[in-house]
Amino acid sequence: MKMLINVPETVVADALRGMAAAHPELTVDVENRVVVRRDAPVAGKVALVSGGGSGHEPLHGGFVGPGMLSAACPGEVFTSPVPDQMVRAAAAVDSGAGVLFVVKNYTGDVLNFDMAAELAEDEGIQVAKVLVNDDVAVTDSLYTAGRRGTGATLFVEKIAGAAAEEGRPLEQVEAIARQVNENSRSFGVALSACTTPAKGSPTFDLPAGELELGIGIHGEPGRERRPMMTSGEIAEVAVDAILADLAPRDPVLVLVNGMGATPLLELYGFNAEVQRVLGERGVPVARVLVGNYVTSLDMAGASVTLCRIDEELLRLWDAPVRTPGLRWGV
Amino acid sequence: MLDADFFRRWMTVTAASVDREAQRLTALDSPIGDADHGSNLQRGFAAVRAALEKEPPATPGAVLTQSGRLLVSTVGGASGPLYGTLLRRTGKALGDATEVDERQLAEALRAGVDAVMQLGGAAAGDKTMIDALLPAVDALGDSFAAARTAAEEGAVATTPLRARKGRASYLGERSIGHQDPGATSAALLIAGLADAASDAGAGDE
């Protein structure tokens, strides 16, 4: 597999150096692997810190900036960052108003952020945590690690980030983040496996003419394999899997997210089908975002995330945001 | 009696075997995980080996707590906190003694495994590192060699299980038929212990 890299060991550091060169509005600590908005800490403002494995770009470093994250900690490819990074990030952005950790529900992320929260509190930083677990492809039970955190991470980071920007106190920002997560559900499909630099070959074998339904964002196979379907058929499977779990009551935010290797031509076409299915199911749509936001390296495929919103959440969604990966209203 | 040098040897022998087996661990992690278990542990144990070479701690407990802390700081993922906790809590249980006997080590390792079970919420049969560690701790009362065999058998026995913890659990039924990479690396750690106890192992560095 050909990749535009030097050696697998320096992939993350090389990307951070390039990110720093492209985004002078961010402070990128390549050695310690922390991306911080340059004006942090912002006096009186709750700080949002997230992080996770690299390979999901623009998540999370690309969502650092006014109106969204205060800092992000990129781990190794598909590996959660370590507590030292998170504590360093929290210390860099805390203005005294506290820090909200946005954590995707993967065992590694949860364990490392838990350890980091304890260490940060030892340093006198007030920390709250919100766990994102929106993936309907896996069932949540006492006997599993629970639902994965995937596309809804973007909704949580954007909306809670806007609330923090308004100067809301930590418990309110946390409550809003939780509300967004509880009202969000995702479903993903893969048309190809992805290739991690460390392994150098696809993480699973997906024959031509087949697709994986119910994938996460780490190259793990999904819950079911089927013969290839049309965009319209895939949209029906994805939307119906979500609606089976999330009764359509209010209007929804829609994220049609590419996994990294699917071009916008296909994503827009897929979005047309998603919109058709939502219309047929009587689900009103408030806003739609289409693009590669929560990716899985070079995986081909897409995920759909819906978030039921009220007027207040919609207002926060529409609030200005200025980050490398998401930018409007400014 | 086992002194700090024995524990340092345990860590360096394990670092060498993780280095050797990294590709295999990553290959095992590929069908049911995210294909990075080998490279992550390799990075962590390389840091442990470098630190122990630079300034070896004076007591068995300190060797393990320092190694555990380093793994938490360098590995990431679930393996970092889980292996870090295993070594840190085992080291803490050994206290400040400059030498410990095999019974004390077995008890301390049991405390470490208990802490890992509590942190990760995994029990026997969940297709995790616990499936290698628990039988190893039980067999440690007999001999290091028995612990090694028990851990290796425990790792192999994860193959028909359905994963209930960690990333493999997202595959449900499809996790069946694959040996768990975490149980496999845990067996390497226990094998390192057996190697450190034998002259052959000491020469294996």
Side-chain angles (χ1 to χ4, degrees):
Chain A
M1 176 65 75
K2 286 188 286 189
M3 300 178 104
L4 187 56
I5 63 172
N6 293 313
V7 290
E9 291 74 21
T10 63
V11 163
V12 176
D14 292 345
L16 288 177
R17 284 192 294 118
M19 193 179 186
H23 296 285
E25 73 277 17
L26 302 176
T27 304
V28 181
D29 181 343
V30 177
E31 194 193 339
N32 294 302
R33 303 200 174 178
V34 182
V35 179
V36 180
R37 60 184 271 186
R38 192 167 276 286
D39 59 352
V42 180
K45 180 188 163 302
V46 166
L48 265 73
V49 172
S50 193
S54 293
H56 306 305
E57 291 70 22
L59 185 83
H60 292 277
F63 296 148
V64 175
M68 217 160 163
L69 295 178
S70 313
C73 322
E76 286 293 324
V77 172
F78 289 173
T79 299
S80 85
V82 299
D84 310 37
Q85 287 170 269
M86 299 156 183
V87 174
R88 199 177 283 269
V93 297
D94 180 38
S95 67
V99 177
L100 178 69
F101 283 164
V102 180
V103 186
K104 296 188 299 305
N105 191 28
Y106 279 95
T107 311
D109 293 281
V110 172
L111 295 182
N112 284 284
F113 270 106
D114 279 353
M115 287 189 165
E118 265 184 53
L119 295 170
E121 275 161 4
D122 288 349
E123 291 187 17
I125 301 170
Q126 197 190 349
V127 176
K129 283 175 291 187
V130 60
L131 196 65
V132 182
N133 59 345
D134 55 312
D135 179 11
V136 298
V138 283
T139 48
D140 190 5
S141 82
L142 277 176
Y143 309 102
T144 69
R147 289 179 156 152
R148 293 174 289 218
T150 59
T153 315
L154 180 144
F155 289 155
V156 171
E157 291 175 359
K158 169 65 187 79
I159 293 174
E165 210 70 45
E166 289 183 345
R168 310 269 194 101
L170 182 58
E171 54 279 15
Q172 276 187 32
V173 176
E174 181 193 355
I176 286 168
R178 225 172 275 284
Q179 187 190 349
V180 174
N181 177 59
E182 281 163 9
N183 284 288
S184 298
R185 298 288 188 280
S186 295
F187 190 89
V189 297
L191 311 183
S192 76
C194 61
T195 298
T196 60
K199 184 157 184 275
S201 57
T203 52
F204 59 90
D205 179 41
L206 185 52
E210 292 188 64
L211 85 170
E212 286 273 341
L213 296 175
I215 49 133
I217 52 172
H218 293 96
E220 67 269 48
R223 70 174 176 186
E224 198 188 339
R225 182 169 293 187
R226 283 202 209 164
M228 190 55 199
M229 299 188 272
T230 64
S231 175
E233 289 164 346
I234 295 170
E236 280 167 22
V237 169
V239 170
D240 286 339
I242 293 171
L243 294 184
D245 203 84
L246 187 81
R249 190 184 53 201
D250 308 307
V252 293
L253 299 175
V254 181
L255 169 64
V256 170
N257 172 63
M259 304 309 298
T262 291
L264 274 174
L265 178 78
E266 292 174 40
L267 290 180
Y268 278 125
F270 182 51
N271 181 49
E273 298 300 331
V274 168
Q275 300 302 318
R276 171 185 62 79
V277 178
L278 286 170
E280 286 170 6
R281 307 291 186 267
V283 181
V285 172
R287 299 286 184 274
V288 183
L289 188 64
V290 180
N292 289 289
Y293 292 102
V294 183
T295 59
S296 192
L297 292 170
D298 61 338
M299 177 179 271
S303 63
V304 177
T305 305
L306 303 183
C307 175
R308 288 190 311 211
I309 46 152
D310 56 19
E311 273 179 32
E312 170 68 352
L313 294 188
L314 183 58
R315 191 182 63 75
L316 292 168
W317 174 254
D318 285 339
V321 58
R322 197 167 76 244
T323 71
L326 202 66
R327 179 182 292 246
W328 59 66
V330 286
Chain B
M1 293 292 275
L2 311 167
D3 59 6
D5 192 54
F6 169 86
F7 284 84
R8 189 187 55 76
R9 218 158 58 226
W10 176 16
M11 292 298 107
T12 49
V13 167
T14 303
S17 66
V18 165
D19 200 42
R20 247 190 340 262
E21 300 285 329
Q23 295 252 335
R24 184 174 148 246
L25 293 175
T26 289
L28 287 174
D29 194 28
S30 165
I32 60 172
D34 51 353
D36 62 4
H37 189 57
S39 46
N40 286 344
L41 276 190
Q42 193 176 25
R43 182 174 61 248
F45 274 101
V48 166
R49 175 156 56 176
L52 290 177
E53 271 166 15
K54 208 167 145 201
E55 207 175 332
T59 65
V63 170
L64 295 188
T65 48
Q66 189 202 67
S67 302
R69 267 203 307 275
L70 262 172
L71 291 181
V72 171
S73 300
T74 54
V75 176
S79 314
L82 292 171
Y83 272 103
T85 295
L86 175 67
L87 295 185
R88 230 163 36 84
R89 293 296 282 272
T90 303
K92 254 173 98 174
L94 291 175
D96 295 332
T98 53
E99 288 189 332
V100 298
D101 62 27
E102 294 176 16
R103 188 185 50 82
Q104 285 170 309
L105 170 57
E107 279 172 17
L109 196 59
R110 189 175 294 279
V113 174
D114 283 346
V116 170
M117 290 171 75
Q118 202 169 2
L119 181 67
D126 282 349
K127 198 177 180 99
T128 71
M129 60 198 285
I130 296 301
D131 292 322
L133 292 174
L134 269 183
V137 168
D138 287 338
L140 204 49
D142 300 333
S143 71
F144 287 122
R148 174 212 289 262
T149 307
E152 282 165 0
E153 286 173 358
V156 170
T158 60
T159 304
L161 299 178
R162 176 189 167 138
R164 287 193 292 252
K165 291 288 164 191
R167 224 162 259 178
S169 70
Y170 298 131
L171 304 188
E173 297 288 333
R174 294 171 77 181
S175 64
I176 293 170
H178 300 280
Q179 184 171 326
D180 183 62
T184 309
S185 59
L188 290 182
L189 180 74
I190 300 300
L193 188 57
D195 284 342
S198 69
D199 289 333
D204 198 33
E205 289 174 44

